[in-house]
Every structure is written in C-alpha cells, then in structure tokens.
Amino acid sequence: MPFPILIDALDLMGTFVFALSGAMLAVRRDLDIFGIVVLAVAAGLAGGLVRDMLLGAHPPAALADSRYLLTALAAGVTAFFLNRQIERVTKPVMVLDAVGLGLFAVAGTQKALIFDIAALPAIVLGILTAVGGGVVRDLLVTEVPRVLREEVYALAALLGAAVVVATDRFQLPEGPMVVAAICLTVLVRVLSVWRGWQAPKAPKPPKPPRTP
Amino acid sequence: MPFPILIDALDLMGTFVFALSGAMLAVRRDLDIFGIVVLAVAAGLAGGLVRDMLLGAHPPAALADSRYLLTALAAGVTAFFLNRQIERVTKPVMVLDAVGLGLFAVAGTQKALIFDIAALPAIVLGILTAVGGGVVRDLLVTEVPRVLREEVYALAALLGAAVVVATDRFQLPEGPMVVAAICLTVLVRVLSVWRGWQAPKAPKPPKPPRTP
Amino acid sequence: MPFPILIDALDLMGTFVFALSGAMLAVRRDLDIFGIVVLAVAAGLAGGLVRDMLLGAHPPAALADSRYLLTALAAGVTAFFLNRQIERVTKPVMVLDAVGLGLFAVAGTQKALIFDIAALPAIVLGILTAVGGGVVRDLLVTEVPRVLREEVYALAALLGAAVVVATDRFQLPEGPMVVAAICLTVLVRVLSVWRGWQAPKAPKPPKPPRTP
C-alpha cells in the first residue's frame, strides 16, 4: 500500500457519497431524521463492513476508525438540510455515485489482495464493497437493489477491480493504475447512464409454466 | 465485567422478548410452525450475531452457548400456543420490547468496549445489537424495518448506549449505571409510544424531479 | 473429515444447483445478464459465506477457493442460455434443489462440528448454510424467502443436520451416515412437495386487534 493517505482520503470520500445516497433515499421515502441517519450509515459503511467481515479484518475499518461514522453522519445531516438543493442536481449526484463506486471497488479489491485473496475472489470482494452499501440501503426500504435494476453498475465496478488485480499481477506502477481504475469505473458508469446502455437479457419462454 | 451473571440473565431475557416479537409477527403473517421458529430465532439472535461477526468474537455468543437458541425456540413455541393471549396484551408486549431494546443496547455497547472499540463505534454497535434482530425479522417478511418506521426507536437505544460509554469513560459505578442505562432506554421508548413523539422530517421539495 | 474429496465435490455440486436456482429466478424477473450472475453468486455462495463468517473461518471457503465462484458463474451462464430448457423440467430442478439442500446442510453441520460448536448450534448452522443462499436470493428481489413460505424446507435440512450431529456424537461410521443424512433430507423434501405436506399453523384470533 504505497499510498495510504490517498486511499484513506478516497475511502472517506466514497463513504460520504454513498451515505448521501442513502440519506437522500430516506428523504424521498419521507423518513424522519433517525431514518435518514440510519440509511446514511448503512449505505456508507455496509459495503466495507461486509468486506471486512468476510476477510476477517477485525475490527472492521469502519468501526476501528471513528472518521467513517462521522463522515456518514455528516452526509445524513447534509441531506436533512440541503436535500432540495441536492435533489435539483441529479446529474452531479449520479457522477458522485459513480465516483464512490470506483473508489470502493478499487479500495475493496486492494484490501482483498493484501489479505492474500486470489484474483477472482478479490474482484468479487471489490464489487461487493462497491455495491454492498447500496444493496443494504435499498433492501432496508424494500426496493430491489439498484445493482439488479441498473444495467451497467456491477460491470463498471468489475472493470475497476480487474484493473487493480492486473496491476498487482503484472507489477504495474500502482499510483497511476489506481487512478486509471477509478476513472475507468466512473467513465463506464456515467457513459452507460448517459447513453442508456443495456445489457443483454436471457431469451425467455413465451409463457412460463408457473409463476415464480 | 463485574456482573457477568446479571448480564447473562439480561441477555437471555432480551433474547426471549425479541424472539417473541419475531414469532408473533410470523403468526400474524400466517406462517406455519417452522416459519414461526425461523422468525423467532432470527429476531432473537441476529442482533448479537451481527455484533459478534463485526467484533470478530468467534464463535458468537449465540452459537457458543446453546441457551440462546433454546430461549429463542421457547419463545417460538410460546407464541405458537399462546399467541391469542399475547396478542390481547399489546401494551405489555410493547413494554417488553422496550426492555429488550434497552438490554441489548447496553450489552452490545459493553461488549464493544471490551473489544477496545472507540466510543462512537461502540454506541453504533450497541444500537445495531438492539435493532439488528428486528431489522432481520422485518426484512424476512419484506416489511420496512420498524427502526425506520417508528420515530424514537433507534434514539432510545442510542441513549442507553451513550450512558454505558459515559460510565466507562468517567469510571462511574457500573452496576447502578447499567440499570440507569436500561431504564433510560425503556422510559424514552415507552414515553415516545405513549405520547406519540415524532422526530423531525427533512423539509422536502414540493414535487421531486424523479421518483426514487 | 475422512472424505475431503467427496465433501469437496458435493459442495461444488450444491453450489451449482443453488446458483442455478438464483439465476433462474433472475431470468423469471427479467433481469439482465449481470443481474442473473449476481443472483447466481448470491444464491450459490451466501449460505457458506454466512456460515464461515459466523465460525470465524477466514477467508471463507467460497473466497479462498476460486472454484466456488467459477461454479456459480457457470450456473449463471447456463441459465442465461438454457433457461427455457431448464424451465421445462421443473421436477428435476426441484429434486436438484433438494439435493443442494441436503449437501449444504450436511457440509455446514460438519464444518460447525470441526470448529467445536455444540450440537444444537451446529444444527442451526447447518440449516443456515442450507437455506442462507435461498434467503439472500429471495430478499434481493424482495420476495418472502422460500424457507418461510414452503412447509417442509427447513425441517428437511434439520433432519440431515441432526443425523450428522448424531454420527459425531455416537461415533457412527461417517461415510455411510453422510450419505444417509443427504438422502434423508432429499427424501423428506421431495416427498413433502409431492404429497403437499403442511406444517401446523398457530391457532389465530378471529380478528387481530391491530395490523402488523
């Protein structure tokens, strides 16, 4: 980890952005200040908590270091007071969410590699870190998680995670490659929303023999 | 931990009360005896299991000690046979739920402090221990968790957890303070239901530019 | 563990079958290829991941060994291309699901015993391993998990897990008993579907005093 401070700062930025997405969802669902804070904390920290529980990294970073919680709380308070302003700027929020996705995918994959996880599981842990907070956020208000609804969300995280694994495998210069990985995720995610990219669906039978 | 036996007894009481809430929800949702037991175990044990997974306390208390499972099973069987009687006494059940909330918030925070978690994350773990079982219970039947719907639920747990942290920080006498912390949580929770306290909601735009 | 290779093979078979169930659900819900893969991985691996997190088995088997992920991905791809053929053979799929249930219940209980978990919690961990993937799968598309809806699902897993615990307790020959445990679970599950067995429900009040 040659860039601990950079990674640290990126991690907190990602936490803020994701916590903000949770808090904004809570505002839209008409939850009170406590619901807003709960969803902010869940969306901001759950991805990293699940990653650290799976890796056996105890205590998890988000509990060992109070700054993560303070960051998520700050996002909740920000959304409480400024949600009308934030709601008006959906495009910047979408870009910020893509940045959070890239930051967490990269940080999650790097941490998995540090714990000697193999390439494929490390990529999965990176994706899980990136989408986990959003999954918990959406499940808490009983919505199907965005990662299942939006086409190129997990894929964008996967690309960033794969670049990190390739950097490690081929001993590429870590600094520029981390930046490249984050940018790749952000670019693919933003482009996919902008251009309305669709992933292929399975050809289905004309009428299923039974309902799910 | 100067009161291991007291804490132990409180933990089992909290487990029973929460497991009962899960079993009663299963009865209302017309689930069979297995569904009742599953929801009882989930509601009674999930909060502590998540806390112990996050702390790296292996094996978790609820698995290391069979009494927790037996307690949850007993609650399931109780609800199966006596649900009509229990349903008629909603006020006592609400008070019992508040007691469980206080017990788990205090026990969760104490365990976090024993694992050298800092003040703020210890409070969050206490809240998570207290509300985690209810969250899993509600998610399993695809309801928005009570902690997001009811105003002063997480807050009541937070107050009890904060008293525990203050006790530890300022070296206050642990016995009386633990009792005070539990009473504070119960009091705030019961009063909030009784008086219909509402937490503030965020001022929202007249019409959101897009649906969530 | 006298049969590491057998257990290994059974574990991968169970992973494939459960991953297939997740992928097929994703196809029915009209999710795209990424959603299919996410649900396949969740359904195939979540049970074992939760078991390993609770036991403190780090890193979890499903991450330490890339074959689990590859197996789940293979199931996702299989469902993507062959879902119409698979959908037509619901009975074989149901039997396969029962086999997965038996395999995971046995493997989960065995692993818990290796980690010195007592009999009752070991059975619960076996059940959790067996039904965990399905629970996560169903929650991700906001359905009430099958384990709560279908009568004799958790019970079938419980029977297999109990046989494993009895084998350990009474020093019975492990090879034949493992086979017997899996067969028992499969048999009970398949019979229960075939004969429409129903578990008893709690006698309910004619009209509940309040909605849940």
Side-chain angles (χ1 to χ4, degrees), chain C residues 67-162:
Chain C
R67 289 177 305 164
Y68 289 95
L69 272 165
L70 291 171
T71 301
L73 293 176
V77 172
T78 303
F80 184 80
F81 287 111
L82 301 179
N83 69 82
R84 282 167 298 191
Q85 287 77 0
I86 297 167
E87 194 69 74
R88 240 178 272 133
V89 289
T90 54
K91 269 178 207 165
V93 166
M94 187 272 288
V95 173
L96 274 179
D97 187 76
V99 174
L101 192 74
L103 296 170
F104 274 28
V106 166
T109 309
Q110 285 193 314
K111 190 157 187 177
L113 292 175
I114 291 168
F115 275 75
D116 276 326
I117 300 292
L120 183 61
I123 290 174
V124 170
L125 269 177
I127 298 174
L128 196 59
T129 308
V131 308
V135 167
V136 172
R137 171 198 67 200
D138 294 343
L139 288 183
L140 283 173
V141 293
T142 63
E143 286 186 9
V144 174
R146 172 185 291 183
V147 67
L148 291 178
R149 285 179 288 134
E150 299 210 3
E151 280 71 18
V152 187
Y153 199 78
L155 176 69
L158 184 153
L159 292 174

Side-chain angles (χ1 to χ4, degrees), chain B residues 25 27-28 30-36 38 49 53 58-60 63 66 69-70 80 83-84 87 90 139-142, chain C residues 53-56 58 117-118 120-121 124-125 135 139 142-145 148 151 155 199-205 209 212:
Chain B
L25 178 59
V27 170
R28 278 191 222 107
D30 212 27
L31 299 178
D32 63 29
I33 179 68
F34 300 117
I36 293 169
V38 168
L49 288 176
M53 281 197 288
H58 299 297
L63 296 180
S66 295
L69 270 165
L70 290 171
F80 184 80
N83 68 82
R84 281 166 298 192
E87 193 70 73
T90 54
L139 289 183
L140 283 173
V141 293
T142 63
Chain C
M53 281 197 287
L54 287 170
L55 289 175
H58 298 297
I117 300 292
L120 183 61
V124 170
L125 269 177
V135 167
L139 288 183
T142 63
E143 286 186 9
V144 174
L148 291 178
E151 280 71 18
L155 176 69
K201 291 183 178 178
K204 286 180 68 182

Side-chain angles (χ1 to χ4, degrees), chain A residues 24-100:
Chain A
M24 290 300 293
L25 178 59
V27 169
R28 277 189 223 110
R29 298 290 292 248
D30 211 28
L31 299 177
D32 63 28
I33 179 69
F34 300 116
I36 293 170
V37 166
V38 168
L39 272 195
V41 171
L45 305 188
L49 289 177
V50 170
R51 174 199 62 198
D52 289 351
M53 281 197 287
L54 287 169
L55 288 175
H58 299 296
L63 296 180
D65 180 343
S66 295
R67 289 177 305 165
Y68 288 95
L69 271 166
L70 290 171
T71 300
L73 292 175
V77 172
T78 303
F80 185 78
F81 287 111
L82 301 179
N83 68 82
R84 283 166 297 192
Q85 287 77 1
I86 297 168
E87 193 69 73
R88 238 178 273 132
V89 288
T90 53
K91 268 179 207 165
V93 167
M94 187 274 287
V95 173
L96 274 179
D97 187 77
V99 173

Side-chain angles (χ1 to χ4, degrees), chain C residues 24-35:
Chain C
M24 291 299 294
L25 178 59
V27 170
R28 278 190 222 109
R29 298 290 292 248
D30 211 27
L31 300 177
D32 63 28
I33 179 68
F34 300 117

